[in-house]
Coordinates of all heavy atoms in Angstrom, one line a residue:
A26 N -4.9 1.6 -18.5 CA -6.3 1.6 -19.0 C -6.9 2.9 -18.6 O -6.4 3.6 -17.7 CB -7.0 0.4 -18.3
G34 N -6.9 10.8 -5.4 CA -5.8 9.9 -5.1 C -5.1 10.2 -3.8 O -5.4 11.1 -3.1
R35 N -4.1 9.3 -3.6 CA -3.3 9.5 -2.4 C -2.0 8.8 -2.5 O -1.8 7.9 -3.4 CB -4.1 9.0 -1.1 CG -4.7 7.6 -1.2 CD -3.8 6.5 -1.3 NE -4.3 5.2 -0.9 CZ -3.4 4.1 -0.8 NH1 -2.2 4.2 -1.1 NH2 -3.9 3.0 -0.4
A67 N -4.1 13.3 -1.7 CA -3.8 13.4 -0.3 C -2.6 12.6 0.1 O -2.2 11.7 -0.7 CB -5.0 12.7 0.5
R75 N 4.5 0.8 15.1 CA 5.4 1.7 15.8 C 6.8 1.2 15.8 O 7.8 2.0 15.8 CB 4.9 1.9 17.2 CG 3.4 2.4 17.4 CD 3.2 3.6 16.5 NE 3.6 4.8 17.2 CZ 3.4 6.1 16.7 NH1 2.8 6.2 15.5 NH2 3.9 7.1 17.3
A83 N 8.6 11.0 8.9 CA 7.4 11.5 8.2 C 7.7 12.9 7.6 O 7.4 13.2 6.5 CB 6.2 11.5 9.1
A109 N -9.7 5.3 16.5 CA -11.1 5.0 16.8 C -11.8 4.5 15.6 O -12.8 3.7 15.7 CB -11.7 6.3 17.3
L110 N -11.5 5.0 14.4 CA -12.1 4.5 13.1 C -11.9 3.0 12.9 O -12.8 2.3 12.5 CB -11.6 5.3 11.9 CG -12.0 6.7 11.7 CD1 -11.2 7.3 10.5 CD2 -13.5 6.7 11.4
T151 N -5.0 -23.3 12.2 CA -4.8 -23.9 13.5 C -5.9 -23.4 14.5 O -6.4 -24.2 15.3 CB -3.4 -23.6 14.0 OG1 -2.5 -23.7 13.0 CG2 -3.0 -24.5 15.2
N169 N -1.7 -12.4 24.6 CA -2.7 -11.7 23.8 C -2.8 -12.5 22.5 O -1.8 -12.8 21.8 CB -2.3 -10.3 23.5 CG -2.7 -9.4 24.6 OD1 -3.5 -9.7 25.4 ND2 -2.0 -8.3 24.7
V213 N -5.9 0.5 6.0 CA -5.8 1.1 4.6 C -7.2 1.2 4.0 O -7.6 2.1 3.4 CB -4.8 0.3 3.8 CG1 -5.4 -1.0 3.2 CG2 -4.2 1.1 2.7
S234 N -1.8 -7.9 -2.1 CA -2.6 -7.5 -0.9 C -4.0 -7.1 -1.3 O -4.9 -7.0 -0.4 CB -2.0 -6.3 -0.2 OG -0.7 -6.6 0.2
C239 N -10.1 -5.9 -1.0 CA -11.4 -5.9 -1.6 C -12.4 -6.7 -0.8 O -13.6 -6.3 -0.7 CB -11.3 -6.5 -3.0 SG -10.3 -5.5 -4.2
Q242 N -13.4 -4.6 2.1 CA -14.4 -3.5 1.6 C -15.8 -4.0 1.5 O -16.7 -3.4 2.0 CB -13.9 -2.9 0.3 CG -12.7 -2.0 0.3 CD -11.9 -2.1 -0.9 OE1 -12.2 -2.8 -1.9 NE2 -10.8 -1.4 -0.9
P250 N -12.2 1.2 -4.5 CA -11.6 2.2 -5.4 C -11.0 1.5 -6.7 O -11.0 0.3 -6.7 CB -10.4 2.7 -4.6 CG -10.1 1.6 -3.6 CD -11.4 0.8 -3.4
S251 N -10.6 2.3 -7.6 CA -9.9 1.6 -8.8 C -8.4 1.5 -8.4 O -7.9 2.2 -7.5 CB -10.1 2.4 -10.1 OG -9.1 3.4 -10.2
R265 N 15.6 -4.5 -6.6 CA 14.6 -3.5 -6.0 C 15.3 -2.6 -5.1 O 16.2 -3.0 -4.3 CB 13.6 -4.3 -5.2 CG 12.2 -4.4 -5.8 CD 11.4 -5.3 -5.0 NE 10.9 -4.7 -3.8 CZ 10.1 -5.3 -2.9 NH1 9.6 -6.5 -3.2 NH2 9.7 -4.8 -1.8
S267 N 16.0 -0.1 -1.9 CA 15.7 -0.3 -0.5 C 16.0 1.1 0.2 O 17.0 1.8 -0.1 CB 16.6 -1.4 0.1 OG 16.9 -1.1 1.4
R279 N 21.7 14.2 -3.7 CA 22.3 15.5 -3.6 C 23.8 15.3 -3.3 O 24.6 16.1 -3.9 CB 21.7 16.2 -2.3 CG 20.4 17.0 -2.7 CD 20.0 17.9 -1.6 NE 18.5 18.1 -1.7 CZ 17.6 17.6 -0.9 NH1 18.0 16.8 0.2 NH2 16.3 17.8 -1.1
E300 N 12.8 13.4 -22.1 CA 14.2 12.9 -22.5 C 15.0 13.0 -21.2 O 14.8 13.8 -20.4 CB 14.7 13.8 -23.6 CG 13.9 13.8 -24.9 CD 13.9 12.4 -25.5 OE1 14.8 11.6 -25.3 OE2 12.8 12.0 -26.0
E301 N 16.1 12.3 -21.2 CA 17.1 12.5 -20.1 C 17.6 13.9 -20.1 O 17.9 14.5 -21.1 CB 18.2 11.5 -20.4 CG 18.7 10.9 -19.0 CD 19.4 9.6 -19.3 OE1 18.7 8.6 -19.6 OE2 20.6 9.6 -19.1
G302 N 17.5 14.5 -18.9 CA 18.0 15.8 -18.7 C 17.0 16.9 -19.1 O 17.3 18.1 -18.8
E303 N 15.9 16.5 -19.6 CA 14.8 17.5 -19.9 C 14.1 17.9 -18.7 O 13.6 17.1 -17.9 CB 13.9 16.9 -21.0 CG 12.9 17.9 -21.6 CD 11.8 17.2 -22.5 OE1 11.9 15.9 -22.6 OE2 11.0 17.9 -23.0
Q308 N 2.2 21.4 -15.9 CA 1.2 21.3 -16.9 C 1.7 20.4 -18.1 O 0.9 19.6 -18.6 CB 0.9 22.7 -17.4 CG 0.0 23.5 -16.5 CD -1.0 22.7 -15.7 OE1 -1.8 21.9 -16.3 NE2 -1.0 22.8 -14.4

Side-chain angles (χ1 to χ4, degrees):
R35 48 64 157 190
R75 304 306 281 180
L110 285 175
T151 321
N169 279 337
V213 82
S234 296
C239 293
Q242 284 150 3
S251 88
R265 250 173 76 174
S267 148
R279 275 190 203 107
E300 297 300 327
E301 219 155 286
E303 187 186 2
Q308 286 323 309

